Amino acid sequence: MSIVSRDREIISVLAKIINIDPITATFYNENKLLHLDLSGLSLTYVPAELRQLTNLQVLDLSNNQLSEVPAELGRLTNLQSLALYHNQLSEVPAELGQLTNLQRLTLYHNQLSEVPAELGQLTNLQTLYLNDNQLSQVPVELGQLTSLQELNLSNNPSLLTPPPEIVSQRTSAILTFLRELQKNSTMRYEAKLLIVGEGGTGKSSLLRSLHNEVFDPHLATTHGIAIQPLSLSSGAYNMTLHVWDFGGQHIYHATHQFFLTERSLYLVVWNARLGAEQGRLDYWLDTIKTLAPNAPVLLVATHIDERPPDLNYPLYQNTYPQLVGNLSISNQNGIGIDALKEALSLVALKLPLMGQPWPQQWLDAENVLSAHTESYIDAFTYVHNCANCGVEENIANGTLGNYLHDLGKILYFRDEDLLSDLVVLQPEWVTQAIAQVLDNDVIRQAKGILRHADLPHIWKQDASGRPYERRLYPILFRLMERFELSYQLDSDLPEKSATLSLIPLLLPHQPPIPLLPWPNIPPKDQTQVEMVYRLNFVPAGIMSRFIVRTHRYNTKDLHWREGVILEYEGHQARVELNPMQREIKLLAQGVLPQNFFTVLMNTMDEILARFKGLTIRREIPCICHWQRKADDPCSRNYRYEDLIRRMEAQKYTIECPDTLVDVSVPKLLYGIHSSTNDQIIAEIQQNRQEIKRQQTELHKLDILLEKLDQQSELIGRNFTRQWNLMMAQAEIECPNTFMLLPSNNRPFNPKNWVSQQYQLFLICQHPHQPHPIEHAYSLRQAEEWWVSIHPWLKHLVTFLKFGVPMAGKVLGVALDEVDFKKMQNALGLVEEITKNIPQASSLDSMDRSTTIPVLRREQEVTGTALRALHSYLKSVDPNRIWGGLEQMVTPDGHILWLCAKHRQQYEAKPLSLQP
């Protein structure tokens, strides 16, 4: 029996066993079985017959109910892709390491607690997905996968090796860490101890007591943060706790958030003489809960020599399960200090990273850096210190430097020219400099306005009495901007540098002008959109950070401590925090305010996302009073997530419980959720037709043009947000929007289009003004390449047709006339090419009925297309210049590829000390 006949017979047997159609389950190339798709069939076991299909190159067993994989799959040595994701696997056989031709292995969304070291033998492997499992460590042998381009370990909550700070740096950093670990490692017993509490509770004295130092009744108040090591022992283990003593003054609370980290131990200190209420235990415990919901916390009462503590600890423990101990001490006579040390040792020993393996060279480099007495060094000295410990320069500047920065051991911002030459060895040096600004009475009296010319007076000397060098002012000030504590106010003269900055934390609580009541009905010829955020706790500094992130829309300086009024393209917005009711309101008005509102909503979501333990409820106010034309607004709100679920379930109305009026769900979500994109696109087409007919009055035409521009910008934002984020997660780093034009202006030939030469122009993704760059790449590819990229071309057509504001405004405003004609011609060409690309069977297979969600399949197929685009662009632009486009992350969390002109609004401004 021939191999082909045997394969056909095996497929027929499989079809009977698992009751599938062999035509849709298999794919043939030159009459050879290469691809078998058994996904989404609720399989509980892998049929034994599969082991005989030795020609297989692609095997998809995803989205089943498999609890084990037979070792015999290791015989399928021609496999290039093996999909086992979305099953119930707790382990995979070591024999998979025999699949030396394997290029793609997907094991995500299983129950894996470990993976075999033999996977390190898969030398051709390019993609390995192990995310969303239960891994505690991965074998160092995976560092041997020299062809690996993408390793996903995200959403493994118990993962210790590599640590989360390394995992967050993606594939290159993970592989570097594993390789360094394989060279030489040591067990590390270090952790971070954070001491928080109100000012005057004795935190600094407590730290002195832990070091067996004499009590000092005149000890100065901590400004900002103080950091010291503390050596402890527990049985046979000697450990070092890096203790962070946080100043308790309220103004510092917003800055503390950048250093309150997960996988640390917390002490919440309160003064027994003043009582638990004065100690604001709820506030501090809620702050820790929102930022580090799984970190253990010890409550420590001080001043027990003056008054015994009075606290219902069981009640607190029921409310805050993170509490693991309640202790009482006296800094003055040392009572309770030994018990506290013992408790610290026992709890710290259980911290996740305690006793984990660590590259010896990295540890040596850390020790050398910590031995420095100066507060900072330059980048050359840092790299030289690391090199002396055997750490290569690229690792020092990359993986190790980023790791030490993420842990707060150093501050090193390599991604910005102004900061890249400074390595801060003592982060408290920076926080104390920031504290001098926040404590300044002149700035407070000036309602948060800082004169740059005053910096020499403010930064006259640091906490140790040494002067701040003038050359460091721009660096320290830029660090304040990176911490979202300030922004520079534009000068009235465009050619003049800014001489003032705003510190929102020092703004007055009173709004600068009397505020009108929140509007319930939009003005004539306008509409409005509103959202309410309800929080279980209000972390410090939320509005301050929001004001900093949105300052480019703050054209009239209408801001106060808890609110701001913003403008964008003729649209107005108001954002306000009510700390008593623990709610934030966002409202935007205009011809089509959803575009602007989406920017503000995403900005707020980005800020709140940092608080992992925060409970957030987003609500959309009912608009039934619009339909009833009533003066009194409806008091009902609908939960945002509930409205999304109704859209997904195709329930397009929701009844108002008060008035029994059916309210349109698409209208409530219009423009602020991607489920309404099709509706917006349909309106764009309708509005364009109306403009072409020129049957609209001049006033209404202006409104229609403005609305059309905002609709197109909104579609473009949604498009780039979705796909740029997906590419970043998949580590496909290149621009993805482009237009095609024929070389030598030859017309498109449907009979011979593949052999034609094209020019590819990348597109700057500035939302308000996307445009092609001048540089063109030559493009001539085989039909197979066009087939692989086809799914992305379909999305690109949508972007070019509806996501570019080129038809809304008069030509010359959104795009210049040359770019406009180019885009129009390119759109027609891409549409023609898309229509003429033959559909590969592997793409057609996505249409068959399956339990796999359509969106996930679409992302997988489009991801393959984007990798093909990435491969082409790297081949024609090996230096990755991308025509001058660079990736930027905007304040609302949007990833964009922008030209130099459109990057300027997001780049740091030079600091001027002139009055």
Side-chain angles (χ1 to χ4, degrees):
M1 182 185 297
S2 70
I3 293 178
V4 171
S5 299
R6 186 197 65 186
D7 285 355
R8 289 185 178 277
E9 184 176 324
I10 294 171
I11 291 299
S12 297
V13 172
L14 280 173
K16 294 176 182 178
I17 293 174
I18 56 181
N19 192 26
I20 62 169
D21 181 352
I23 296 176
T24 58
T26 63
F27 306 93
Y28 288 86
N29 182 14
E30 297 179 356
N31 214 26
K32 292 181 181 179
L33 179 62
L34 300 177
H35 184 140
L36 181 59
D37 186 350
L38 299 177
S39 62
L41 299 173
S42 301
L43 298 179
T44 57
Y45 68 98
V46 177
E49 288 74 12
L50 282 185
R51 71 192 69 175
Q52 302 175 49
L53 298 173
T54 53
N55 286 319
L56 269 182
Q57 294 181 9
V58 178
L59 176 58
D60 190 345
L61 289 165
S62 64
N63 287 274
N64 285 296
Q65 300 174 24
L66 303 176
S67 57
E68 62 179 357
V69 175
E72 287 77 9
L73 280 189
R75 299 178 184 175
L76 305 181
T77 53
N78 284 310
L79 272 184
Q80 296 178 19
S81 176
L82 175 58
L84 289 165
Y85 59 88
H86 276 284
N87 278 290
Q88 300 170 19
L89 303 175
S90 57
E91 61 180 1
V92 291
E95 285 77 6
L96 293 187
Q98 300 170 16
L99 304 175
T100 52
N101 287 309
L102 202 63
Q103 298 176 23
R104 182 177 177 85
L105 176 59
T106 50
L107 289 162
Y108 60 89
H109 276 292
N110 276 290
Q111 301 169 20
L112 299 176
S113 57
E114 61 180 358
V115 292
E118 286 78 5
L119 294 186
Q121 301 169 15
L122 302 176
T123 53
N124 287 304
L125 198 65
Q126 299 176 19
T127 303
L128 176 57
Y129 286 174
L130 293 169
N131 51 294
D132 296 279
N133 278 290
Q134 300 171 17
L135 300 174
S136 59
Q137 60 181 10
V138 297
V140 294
E141 286 79 5
L142 294 189
Q144 302 167 184
L145 299 175
T146 53
S147 299
L148 200 62
Q149 300 174 16
E150 186 179 0
L151 171 58
N152 193 335
L153 293 174
S154 62
N155 296 325
N156 281 283
S158 302
L159 188 62
L160 301 175
T161 304
E165 292 79 8
I166 298 295
V167 173
S168 66
Q169 296 181 46
R170 308 286 179 86
T171 301
S172 178
I174 295 171
L175 296 179
T176 296
F177 179 83
L178 295 176
R179 289 165 189 156
E180 293 296 305
L181 206 60
Q182 197 170 22
K183 289 179 185 176
N184 189 11
S185 66
T186 186
M187 302 303 285
R188 183 175 190 172
Y189 290 87
E190 293 188 19
K192 195 172 177 181
L193 171 64
L194 302 105
I195 305 178
V196 299
E198 292 297 293
T201 56
K203 297 186 297 298
S204 299
S205 294
L206 170 60
L207 184 53
R208 287 176 60 87
S209 296
L210 289 172
H211 282 99
N212 300 319
E213 296 177 9
V214 177
F215 176 71
D216 181 0
H218 306 295
L219 191 65
T221 300
T222 300
H223 292 270
I225 300 170
I227 306 174
Q228 296 181 30
L230 174 65
S231 298
L232 295 174
S233 61
S234 178
Y237 302 104
N238 295 318
M239 67 187 77
T240 300
L241 300 183
H242 300 280
V243 186
W244 292 56
D245 174 16
F246 291 84
Q249 293 79 3
H250 189 269
I251 194 64
Y252 303 142
H253 294 183
T255 61
H256 292 349
Q257 295 169 2
F258 299 101
F259 305 102
L260 300 180
T261 52
E262 287 269 29
R263 294 171 295 100
S264 303
L265 171 58
Y266 286 80
L267 294 187
V268 176
V269 181
W270 62 288
N271 188 326
R273 175 171 53 84
L274 300 177
E277 186 174 342
Q278 186 277 341
R280 300 180 69 206
L281 297 185
D282 288 344
Y283 169 81
W284 288 107
L285 291 170
D286 281 329
T287 297
I288 297 168
K289 182 180 178 182
T290 58
L291 287 163
N294 299 311
V297 182
L298 290 170
L299 283 183
V300 180
T302 62
H303 296 81
I304 64 169
D305 52 296
E306 301 178 34
R307 182 177 177 180
D310 182 15
L311 181 73
N312 187 345
Y313 178 69
L315 181 62
Y316 273 91
Q317 198 170 32
N318 287 335
T319 308
Y320 302 100
Q322 293 173 262
L323 286 172
V324 294
N326 179 33
L327 297 103
S328 304
I329 64 104
S330 168
N331 291 316
Q332 185 165 359
N333 57 33
I335 295 175
I337 296 299
D338 289 339
L340 176 58
K341 288 182 179 180
E342 183 178 358
L344 286 173
S345 300
L346 292 174
V347 177
L349 197 58
K350 298 177 183 177
L351 288 172
L353 293 184
M354 189 68 75
Q356 291 300 309
W358 205 248
Q360 182 62 53
Q361 293 93 332
W362 291 20
L363 190 56
D364 293 341
E366 281 187 60
N367 292 334
V368 169
L369 293 172
S370 64
H372 279 269
T373 57
E374 56 264 58
S375 299
Y376 58 89
I377 56 177
D378 58 38
F380 175 82
T381 304
Y382 163 74
V383 170
H384 182 70
N385 284 176
C386 292
N388 287 340
C389 298
V391 179
E392 298 175 11
E393 180 177 353
N394 64 316
I395 296 175
N397 280 330
T399 311
L400 178 59
N402 291 334
Y403 167 77
L404 295 175
H405 174 90
D406 289 343
L407 282 187
K409 292 197 169 189
I410 65 173
L411 294 179
Y412 189 19
F413 296 93
R414 289 190 58 253
D415 59 343
E416 190 171 319
D417 289 342
L418 180 61
L419 304 177
S420 61
D421 193 44
L422 184 78
V423 181
V424 179
L425 301 178
Q426 298 174 6
E428 64 268 38
W429 176 75
V430 170
T431 63
Q432 288 161 3
I434 293 173
Q436 290 178 337
V437 174
L438 299 181
D439 286 338
N440 189 271
D441 290 333
V442 174
I443 303 174
R444 188 184 300 275
Q445 292 168 6
K447 299 181 179 180
I449 300 295
L450 164 65
R451 295 175 65 250
H452 297 171
D454 289 342
L455 287 176
H457 173 71
I458 296 172
W459 284 333
K460 189 174 183 180
Q461 61 183 25
D462 61 22
S464 62
R466 290 176 293 188
Y468 286 99
E469 298 177 53
R470 194 179 181 91
R471 67 179 182 86
L472 295 175
Y473 292 176
I475 295 174
L476 290 169
F477 206 76
R478 180 56 189 152
L479 286 172
M480 287 189 62
E481 293 176 341
R482 288 290 293 252
F483 289 153
E484 298 178 334
L485 297 172
S486 67
Y487 66 90
Q488 298 189 44
L489 299 172
D490 291 333
S491 170
D492 293 334
L493 301 175
E495 69 278 3
K496 188 176 180 182
S497 298
T499 59
L500 304 173
S501 285
L502 181 72
I503 315 293
L505 281 172
L506 300 179
L507 282 169
H509 292 281
Q510 182 72 24
I513 59 173
L515 298 177
L516 297 173
W518 277 83
N520 302 306
I521 297 177
K524 184 181 178 182
D525 294 330
Q526 294 188 11
T527 187
Q528 71 181 39
V529 59
E530 184 178 355
M531 179 176 284
V532 181
Y533 288 77
R534 302 197 189 279
L535 313 176
N536 66 325
F537 171 70
V538 180
I542 285 180
M543 278 308 303
S544 171
R545 295 177 66 188
F546 184 85
I547 291 171
V548 170
R549 288 196 180 206
T550 59
H551 72 269
R552 60 186 49 82
Y553 308 118
N554 191 354
T555 57
K556 296 181 179 178
D557 295 333
L558 296 176
H559 41 232
W560 58 103
R561 187 79 64 90
E562 284 86 23
V564 65
I565 294 176
L566 306 167
E567 291 185 349
Y568 175 71
E569 294 294 318
H571 293 73
Q572 294 77 40
R574 178 171 159 186
V575 184
E576 194 167 5
L577 165 69
N578 186 327
M580 284 78 75
Q581 295 184 353
R582 298 195 300 274
E583 70 177 27
I584 304 168
K585 285 186 177 181
L586 273 67
L587 179 139
Q589 291 181 326
V591 173
L592 193 109
Q594 288 82 359
N595 180 41
F596 187 25
F597 181 89
T598 299
V599 173
L600 303 181
M601 180 182 71
N602 290 333
T603 302
M604 185 61 72
D605 289 343
E606 278 288 308
I607 292 171
L608 295 178
R610 189 185 188 292
F611 304 95
K612 299 178 182 178
L614 193 64
T615 301
I616 305 168
R617 180 184 174 94
R618 294 184 291 180
E619 297 178 351
I620 305 292
C622 182
I623 56 173
C624 71
H625 55 286
W626 296 7
Q627 298 171 222
R628 295 183 288 110
K629 301 188 183 304
D631 293 332
D632 295 330
C634 180
S635 61
R636 284 285 177 175
N637 287 352
Y638 305 110
R639 193 166 178 262
Y640 178 63
E641 287 74 16
D642 291 343
L643 295 175
I644 294 172
R645 282 199 294 270
R646 291 188 75 85
M647 282 289 286
E648 292 172 346
Q650 299 182 356
K651 296 181 181 294
Y652 298 125
T653 61
I654 185 168
E655 185 181 76
C656 174
D658 292 344
T659 63
L660 305 183
V661 171
D662 285 336
V663 181
S664 167
V665 174
K667 192 169 185 177
L668 289 167
L669 291 177
Y670 180 85
I672 65 174
H673 188 261
S674 59
S675 60
T676 63
N677 280 357
D678 289 343
Q679 182 182 352
I680 299 170
I681 288 174
E683 288 190 14
I684 290 175
Q685 293 173 311
Q686 180 181 341
N687 291 337
R688 286 176 177 173
Q689 290 299 320
E690 187 171 342
I691 291 171
K692 285 181 180 179
R693 290 195 297 267
Q694 296 183 345
Q695 295 175 351
T696 307
E697 298 174 13
L698 186 60
H699 167 67
K700 291 185 178 179
L701 182 61
D702 288 341
I703 294 175
L704 193 59
L705 288 170
E706 186 178 354
K707 182 177 181 180
L708 189 55
D709 247 18
Q710 292 297 306
Q711 287 174 322
S712 295
E713 185 174 325
L714 178 56
I715 289 296
R717 283 185 190 277
N718 290 344
F719 179 93
T720 51
R721 174 175 286 274
Q722 176 186 354
W723 293 111
N724 288 353
L725 178 61
M726 193 215 80
M727 290 182 69
Q729 292 172 340
E731 301 183 64
I732 310 171
E733 295 192 4
C734 69
N736 57 25
T737 49
F738 58 88
M739 65 182 202
L740 296 176
L741 291 175
S743 295
N744 303 321
N745 295 318
R746 292 181 180 177
F748 179 77
N749 182 357
K751 295 183 179 180
N752 194 31
W753 66 271
V754 173
S755 62
Q756 282 188 252
Q757 186 97 6
Y758 301 96
Q759 288 183 307
L760 184 148
F761 295 85
L762 295 173
I763 294 177
C764 168
Q765 296 176 341
H766 179 55
H768 187 59
Q769 194 179 356
H771 61 89
I773 60 172
E774 294 182 4
H775 177 76
Y777 297 106
S778 179
L779 174 64
R780 176 181 284 168
Q781 294 287 328
E783 183 176 296
E784 290 78 7
W785 185 86
W786 290 103
V787 169
S788 66
I789 204 173
H790 176 263
W792 179 244
L793 291 180
K794 292 192 296 183
H795 290 294
L796 187 63
V797 166
T798 300
F799 172 76
L800 293 174
K801 187 180 287 188
F802 303 110
V804 179
M806 59 184 178
K809 288 190 174 181
V810 179
L811 294 182
V813 178
L815 285 167
D816 65 41
E817 192 164 354
V818 175
D819 282 347
F820 175 79
K821 290 180 179 179
K822 274 187 178 182
M823 297 281 257
Q824 290 287 68
N825 293 336
L827 171 60
L829 178 59
V830 174
E831 283 188 297
E832 286 294 329
I833 290 176
T834 304
K835 292 176 185 176
N836 282 272
I837 294 176
Q839 298 298 298
S841 57
S842 60
L843 297 180
D844 290 338
S845 71
M846 308 307 279
D847 296 330
R848 75 176 176 87
S849 178
T850 176
T851 60
I852 304 175
V854 175
L855 179 60
R856 190 187 309 136
R857 277 191 169 274
E858 179 188 13
Q859 289 177 338
E860 289 174 3
V861 175
T862 307
T864 301
L866 289 168
R867 287 185 180 87
L869 172 65
H870 184 222
S871 178
Y872 157 74
L873 287 175
K874 285 195 301 181
S875 68
V876 295
D877 191 353
N879 294 323
R880 307 186 186 193
I881 304 299
W882 311 139
L885 296 181
E886 292 184 14
Q887 190 180 72
M888 299 291 294
V889 180
T890 66
D892 63 328
H894 201 156
I895 301 171
L896 294 173
W897 289 90
L898 300 176
C899 66
K901 174 184 175 182
H902 289 129
R903 288 197 302 270
Q904 288 180 356
Q905 62 180 301
Y906 305 113
E907 293 176 337
K909 299 177 182 178
L911 178 68
S912 172
L913 298 180
Q914 299 300 319

